[in-house]
Structures are given as C-alpha cells and as structure tokens.
Amino acid sequence: ITQLYRLLREQHPAFLDLGTRGTDINTLLRTFSSALDALNPLRNRASVAHPNDELLELPEAMLVINVARTLLHYFDTRISASNMVES
C-alpha cells in the first residue's frame, strides 16, 4: 500500500500542483507514508481482517480507521477537484 500511495502522490496529475503551500502539503503527505507503513501490520495482526488472538482496543481501532478515512477522503477530494478543472 505504501508503494501505491507513493505512485499516486508522485505520478497522478491531480497531485502535481498542490497549490500555494504545496511544499508544506507535500511534506505532510510524505509523513502520512509512515502512518501507512504502520497500518499494514495493525490490519494483519490486530484486526478482524485475519484471524488474530489479540485485537486493537476501541480507541486505537478508531485511530487506525480515521487515518485511513482521512487519506481516502483527501485523495477523493483532490482527484475530484482536478477532474472538475479539466472538464
């Protein structure tokens, strides 16, 4: 997932121009790649995605869910905005 994230961020036309604070946004997006690295083992070893003896507690599970939702929402918004400009 980290490799796909990087490819999307670096090669999708919607992410080529991130506006007036693009450098800062790019820094923020790079830091989220670390969060994505942490999501993989949590999903595989601490969730119901696979059989596991120990699961995340509710507050940590909500943190994981909200990180993923935040990134997906940003991607959707950025790509949708880019598509509207192109139309």
Side-chain angles (χ1 to χ4, degrees):
I1 194 167
T2 307
Q3 291 172 338
L4 291 174
Y5 174 74
R6 191 190 75 205
L7 285 172
L8 179 67
R9 211 172 29 84
E10 292 176 357
Q11 296 184 15
H12 193 285
F15 299 93
L16 298 179
D17 181 7
L18 299 178
T20 58
R21 300 300 301 191
T23 302
D24 294 328
I25 296 299
N26 218 6
T27 299
L28 180 62
L29 290 172
R30 279 194 307 274
T31 63
F32 264 107
S33 67
S34 295
L36 285 177
D37 280 339
L39 290 179
N40 282 329
L42 290 171
R43 178 189 170 276
N44 292 335
R45 297 187 189 104
S47 77
V48 294
H50 301 283
N52 288 298
D53 293 331
E54 295 181 15
L55 300 177
L56 292 174
E57 293 183 21
L58 181 61
E60 288 72 27
M62 291 307 302
L63 174 65
V64 169
I65 289 167
N66 286 326
V67 166
R69 287 178 66 180
T70 296
L71 283 171
L72 289 172
H73 180 71
Y74 172 72
F75 292 150
D76 183 53
T77 304
R78 168 54 57 195
I79 291 168
S80 294
S82 174
N83 289 338
M84 290 185 354
V85 169
E86 292 174 5
S87 297

